[in-house]
Amino acid sequence: MKAMGIIFTNDASLGDLTDKRTMASLPYGGRYRQVDFALSNLSSAGIRHIGIIARHNFQSLMNHVGDGEEWGLEMEEGGLEFLTPYSQSANHSYHGKLESLADAMDFLEYGNDDEMVIMIDSAVVSNLDLKDVLKAHVASGCDVTVVTKEGICNGSKMIDLALKVEDGKVTDIVVDYAAPAEYVASMDIFVLSKKFLIRSVKDMLARDKYHMDRDLVMGGWQHGVVSVNTYPFGGVAQFNESVQEYFEHSLDLINEDVRQDIFYGAHPVYTKVRDRVPTYYGEDCHIDNCLAADGCILEGNVKNSVLFRQVTVCAGAQVDECVIMNDTVVGEGCELKYVILDKNVTVTPGAKLIGTRNNPIIIKRGETV
Amino acid sequence: MYFQKKRVIAMLLAGGQGSRLKVLTEKTAKPAVPFGGKYRIIDFPLSNCVNSGIDTVGILTQYQPLELNEYIGNGQPWNLNKTHSCAQVLPPYERHDKKSGWYKGTANAIYQNIDFVDRFDPDYVVVLSGDHIYKMDYAAMVAYHEEHGASATIAVRNVPLSEASRFGILNTNPDNTIYEFEEKPAKPKSTNASMGIYCFNWKDLRNALLVDEDDPKSSNDFGKNIIPYLLNNGHKLMAYPFDGYWKDVGTISSLWEANMELLGKNPAFNLRGDERFKIYARNSAMPSSYIDEASRITNAFVAEGSSIYGTVKHSVISVGCTVGKGALVEDSVVMPGVTIEDGAIVRNAILGENSKVCKNAVVGGAFDKDEDRKISVTSKGAVVEAGSVLRPGDML
């Protein structure tokens, strides 16, 4: 069963963190960008024809993904394609995924041997076996399969698309709603046949309908014209849709169970190679319960934190419950707690930054504090 | 097929057995031996090539080539897989005129691949070996070679007179022209040791190789035959002094020492160094390392994908290793994929790839004297059983 993949990139906004980049290129988990998980899920399932729908701020994303070599996607035919806006349509925002797919119709229609399409967002981080999802979709005979996660709906978190499933049958679908705990949340991963998707996009747009969740899945299901199957995912799914979630989930990665599942679950996670040297631990450093990427120089004290590549923590610094992105320097004697340092930040010696777990301090890319 | 003319290409001698590395090269060619946490020895000359603007590299393999070939692959990690660049593995092969078979010596290896070199019509050929750890700008050496109008230029470093008889020694005039080459002289006249890094005019080298091949008494070796031949036939040979870090890691002791020299605040060999002179390696797609709260790591390198629960002192821990709770690793080189279980003690050791030190086992110990280091070594995949002891200097 040959399938193609489509990755959506501008699906959430995390304030200062996504100010100058897409959600997809947001650094995550020490060595990765959010999109690496979607790309690795697709490429590990043997999918070699992937479109990335990018609307704004996609420079850092293009720089990161390149020709897809790291994911085995540097192909003569197929491979990776950036689906950026046409010049004449650049001034308006897409109303929804279906409209952006209408713009990418050439890409969708190209290559007749792809029978299936997997649509995937980059805001939800997981390590799953999409071959199994494809198989389940075909076996279900339904028009669309939604990959779902239990335990995300709690009555207060806003969910893009939530479904109630009883005895394997969908009995209710809601969108943009703080669905109660008995609902399962869509992981924003859909499988459908290419024929069905192309027809639906054309049909929906002709009726001024643009939204995948609202119009195609919920509307179609309510009208009895779209049959919906769910694929309950048993592994870890991290919905990074707010700064708070991003921060909390980043620190969750330190936990053995979460770390094993996300990084080693169904397959390795691939990312752009940077050829940094191994991390150097100095004479007097104390590193407790941390994830440390390559290229760091650690001379100070770091606890319960995620350190990205090429981070320098100078002697006497105290870092606790922080997410510290690439190429940052934490000066001598600094004290940091509940802080997110974006790339290339310099914290001058002796500085003190104390946020809270629910409201971490964010220092923007390139700043000196 | 069209081949772009190249001013310089490199030929990398990677076929030697490296028998002095003992169990570490039982199943692996020396250039593929892991080094520095995430590298293999061959990454150094290959990265030097790329960093010197040399984009065409022939790699001569012979001994245990599987892993080395896999590692080199299409040359992508070193950017040698582009339209007009290559990392071409050149194994020995069969020829119609029977002038083939195994590579008889370093010079014969190049002789058998004259066709490969000729395709690029190079002005200069840089001949390198795959068992040295160093960073060097070969472009500067080629420029020096060109400037002096030499036939061959040999990189040299100053060694203590007491050690000079272990090396090929180049006796030079004050202007660095070479008048004599002595292989491991009993009474060395100078301290200019050859580093096994050569730059040749291809025309001159090609002729010398043809003559050498016709000499049945020749051992077809650069040091023993080609250099003396060029000297005796009136060619100009230059010594190129190099004073940067350079280490032949051909023995267990020197391999261990070179790894240790990466450590410290001001290491003897700074891997990090100049951002424009990076060492590239094939990527292992491993996540960040996990450092547990029970761990204590001091003055050590830890590469990606490792989990550290125990104590690590003055050591190099490579990609994908585990150091268990209560375990101690000190003054050791831990190669990729090694597991050190809870309570094990590893000191002054080199643990080969994917080897395992089970619970409460003890590997190695203190050196009696530093001149005669008793380094314990485990081979690839070896298992030191729970509670057992691998004594200092023992190999498994």
Side-chain angles (χ1 to χ4, degrees):
Chain A
M1 179 71 47
K2 279 198 76 173
M4 63 196 289
I6 296 179
I7 298 176
F8 293 86
T9 60
N10 287 95
D11 30 20
S13 166
L14 263 56
D16 285 346
L17 295 176
T18 51
D19 203 12
K20 291 199 171 114
R21 55 166 82 93
T22 62
M23 181 68 211
S25 48
L26 179 63
Y28 192 66
R31 312 179 72 230
Y32 307 96
R33 308 274 186 148
Q34 293 263 149
V35 74
D36 293 341
F37 298 88
L39 275 171
S40 299
N41 281 340
L42 288 169
S43 78
S44 297
I47 289 156
R48 294 288 177 273
H49 186 202
I50 297 174
I52 296 188
I53 298 203
R55 185 71 191 165
H56 320 280
N57 285 340
F58 47 77
Q59 196 193 338
S60 73
L61 180 63
M62 290 181 96
N63 181 0
H64 175 72
V65 174
D67 63 358
E69 192 176 41
E70 266 87 7
W71 300 269
L73 296 169
E74 75 294 13
M75 319 271 289
E76 298 275 329
E77 287 283 318
L80 192 72
E81 215 170 304
F82 266 87
L83 306 169
T84 54
Y86 298 127
S87 54
Q88 63 265 50
S89 65
N91 291 331
H92 80 86
S93 291
Y94 290 127
H95 292 101
K97 281 181 184 162
L98 298 182
E99 190 182 18
S100 62
L101 287 173
D103 261 10
M105 201 47 89
D106 285 351
F107 171 79
L108 269 180
E109 287 176 341
Y110 175 86
N112 290 325
D113 53 345
D114 292 327
E115 286 177 62
M116 292 290 161
V117 180
I118 299 173
M119 293 165 59
I120 184 163
D121 275 20
S122 38
V124 180
V125 171
S126 67
N127 185 331
L128 58 74
D129 178 4
L130 284 172
K131 267 188 288 199
D132 196 52
V133 180
L134 276 170
K135 222 187 315 171
H137 172 71
V138 173
S140 77
C142 289
D143 294 322
V144 53
T145 290
V146 185
V147 179
T148 59
K149 184 67 199 160
E150 226 181 307
I152 303 294
C153 298
N154 57 11
S156 60
K157 177 179 163 58
M158 286 297 284
I159 306 289
D160 291 345
L161 172 67
L163 304 95
K164 195 170 179 185
V165 184
E166 289 165 288
D167 299 329
K169 284 263 170 294
V170 175
T171 58
D172 192 21
I173 299 182
V174 292
V175 299
D176 298 332
Y177 175 58
E182 63 265 29
Y183 283 67
V184 291
S186 155
M187 284 171 59
D188 275 338
I189 301 174
F190 302 98
V191 181
L192 8 65
S193 80
K194 191 160 112 173
K195 267 198 201 121
F196 173 77
L197 180 62
I198 291 172
R199 198 184 66 223
S200 301
V201 167
K202 289 178 177 168
D203 281 1
M204 290 282 165
L205 256 68
R207 289 163 182 80
D208 236 8
K209 295 193 185 299
Y210 305 104
H211 297 282
M212 180 73 194
D213 293 343
R214 178 179 297 276
D215 299 325
L216 195 151
V217 178
M218 184 180 74
W221 179 79
Q222 283 173 342
H223 290 101
V225 292
V226 175
S227 52
V228 177
N229 171 47
T230 55
Y231 179 94
F233 176 56
V236 175
Q238 297 183 309
F239 287 63
N240 293 336
E241 294 169 321
S242 65
V243 170
Q244 203 182 325
E245 285 174 323
Y246 170 83
F247 184 64
E248 197 179 304
H249 294 152
S250 289
L251 299 183
D252 282 350
L253 288 172
I254 303 169
N255 299 336
E256 171 98 33
D257 298 347
V258 179
R259 179 161 41 97
Q260 288 295 337
D261 194 294
I262 290 287
F263 297 133
Y264 299 97
H267 48 74
V269 185
Y270 299 94
T271 187
K272 183 169 174 159
V273 175
R274 292 284 184 187
D275 289 292
R276 301 297 184 210
V277 304
T279 283
Y280 177 68
Y281 296 77
E283 282 290 352
D284 297 312
C285 72
H286 285 86
I287 313 297
D288 295 335
N289 198 35
C290 289
L291 282 184
D294 38 332
C296 301
I297 302 178
L298 307 179
E299 306 275 1
N301 306 310
V302 189
K303 227 170 127 179
N304 309 326
S305 297
V306 177
L307 305 176
F308 284 68
R309 287 166 166 165
Q310 206 95 330
V311 168
T312 303
V313 179
C314 297
Q318 295 283 345
V319 175
D320 193 7
E321 312 262 350
C322 291
V323 173
I324 306 210
M325 294 190 201
N326 321 9
D327 304 296
T328 54
V329 178
V330 178
E332 269 181 44
C334 289
E335 198 184 331
L336 269 56
K337 188 158 189 178
Y338 301 123
V339 176
I340 300 174
L341 300 183
D342 206 325
K343 288 171 68 174
N344 287 308
V345 163
T346 304
V347 184
T348 51
K352 191 170 170 181
L353 298 170
I354 312 288
T356 65
R357 183 171 277 281
N358 291 328
N359 199 6
I361 293 175
I362 299 176
I363 307 297
K364 282 205 212 181
R365 181 152 85 184
E367 284 191 353
T368 299
V369 286
Chain B
M1 201 168 161
Y2 170 73
F3 293 93
Q4 207 175 51
K5 179 187 162 57
K6 301 285 178 184
R7 181 170 159 267
V8 189
I9 73 163
M11 297 295 272
L12 178 49
L13 301 162
Q17 183 179 352
S19 54
R20 288 173 304 156
L21 286 177
K22 304 191 174 151
V23 294
L24 294 175
T25 48
E26 253 170 21
K27 289 185 180 145
T28 307
K30 181 156 63 167
V33 168
F35 182 83
K38 60 180 285 188
Y39 307 95
R40 305 214 171 227
I41 295 169
I42 198 172
D43 288 327
F44 291 83
L46 275 180
S47 300
N48 286 341
C49 283
V50 175
N51 290 328
S52 308
I54 297 173
D55 63 5
T56 304
V57 185
I59 301 164
L60 301 129
T61 61
Q62 178 155 292
Y63 175 77
Q64 287 284 352
L66 172 65
E67 225 178 309
L68 183 59
N69 292 352
E70 275 170 355
Y71 188 72
I72 297 162
N74 65 351
Q76 179 265 334
W78 308 273
N79 261 315
L80 293 170
N81 62 334
K82 305 296 179 259
T83 305
H84 291 296
S85 71
C86 72
Q88 177 75 51
V89 173
L90 301 167
Y93 60 96
E94 192 177 8
R95 256 161 63 146
H96 76 96
D97 59 5
K98 307 293 177 211
K99 282 188 173 180
S100 58
W102 298 113
Y103 293 145
K104 292 180 281 176
T106 50
N108 176 257
I110 309 287
Y111 169 83
Q112 291 202 36
N113 290 288
I114 284 178
D115 287 350
F116 170 78
V117 181
D118 277 346
R119 285 163 185 264
F120 304 99
D121 186 21
D123 299 324
Y124 309 110
V125 173
V126 174
V127 177
L128 306 166
S129 60
D131 42 13
H132 301 153
I133 301 295
Y134 64 114
K135 290 185 188 179
M136 182 173 172
D137 181 4
Y138 304 138
M141 180 174 170
V142 173
Y144 174 94
H145 172 87
E146 193 170 44
E147 190 185 311
H148 287 86
S151 268
T153 297
I154 305 169
V156 296
R157 61 195 291 271
N158 220 350
V159 294
L161 189 62
S162 58
E163 288 178 26
S165 53
R166 286 172 38 212
F167 293 90
I169 295 295
L170 297 161
N171 297 319
T172 57
N173 300 308
D175 64 353
N176 282 337
T177 51
I178 299 167
Y179 67 86
E180 190 183 23
F181 173 80
E182 292 182 288
E183 182 72 26
K184 298 184 180 150
K187 285 195 182 129
K189 289 177 211 151
S190 87
T191 54
N192 279 330
S194 164
M195 295 164 60
I197 300 165
Y198 308 92
C199 174
F200 292 99
N201 287 351
W202 174 234
K203 204 160 46 84
D204 298 332
L205 174 60
R206 197 179 189 284
N207 288 334
L209 290 172
L210 295 175
V211 172
D212 180 65
E213 188 61 21
D214 281 339
D215 176 1
K217 284 178 294 186
S218 173
S219 43
N220 309 111
D221 183 81
F222 274 100
K224 286 186 201 130
N225 308 104
I226 299 296
I227 299 303
Y229 170 82
L230 291 173
L231 273 173
N232 296 335
N233 286 276
H235 288 278
K236 183 176 182 184
L237 271 70
M238 292 298 297
Y240 177 73
F242 179 75
D243 59 3
Y245 182 92
W246 176 88
K247 192 121 198 163
D248 181 337
V249 288
T251 64
I252 295 284
S253 179
S254 63
L255 179 66
W256 176 86
E257 189 176 85
N259 274 284
M260 293 301 124
E261 282 169 351
L262 303 172
L263 301 172
K265 218 166 170 172
N266 297 299
F269 183 46
N270 191 348
L271 269 180
R272 191 175 301 269
D274 186 346
E275 180 72 4
R276 289 161 303 176
F277 219 94
K278 264 193 213 174
I279 302 302
Y280 299 91
R282 190 167 282 283
N283 185 264
S284 52
M286 292 273 194
S288 300
S289 282
Y290 171 68
I291 313 300
D292 191 69
E293 56 193 344
S295 75
R296 182 88 170 92
I297 310 176
T298 52
N299 192 16
F301 263 141
V302 179
E304 300 100 274
S306 287
S307 301
I308 313 293
Y309 300 89
T311 301
V312 177
K313 286 184 186 168
H314 194 251
S315 293
V316 174
I317 310 286
S318 305
V319 292
C321 293
T322 303
V323 177
K325 279 207 170 63
L328 166 70
V329 181
E330 191 172 7
D331 301 319
S332 293
V333 179
V334 179
M335 289 184 173
V338 167
T339 303
I340 297 162
E341 292 189 346
D342 296 357
I345 296 175
V346 177
R347 296 174 72 196
N348 288 315
I350 299 179
L351 303 182
E353 278 176 88
N354 300 318
S355 62
K356 191 170 172 184
V357 180
C358 297
K359 269 192 180 174
N360 303 321
V362 176
V363 174
F367 296 143
D368 293 337
K369 44 182 194 273
D370 201 49
E371 310 84 76
D372 179 29
R373 296 184 185 125
K374 291 205 180 319
I375 296 165
S376 308
V377 184
T378 58
S379 59
K380 189 183 286 185
V383 177
V384 182
E385 299 294 345
S388 67
V389 173
L390 187 67
R391 287 175 313 174
D394 281 2
M395 301 200 183
L396 181 71

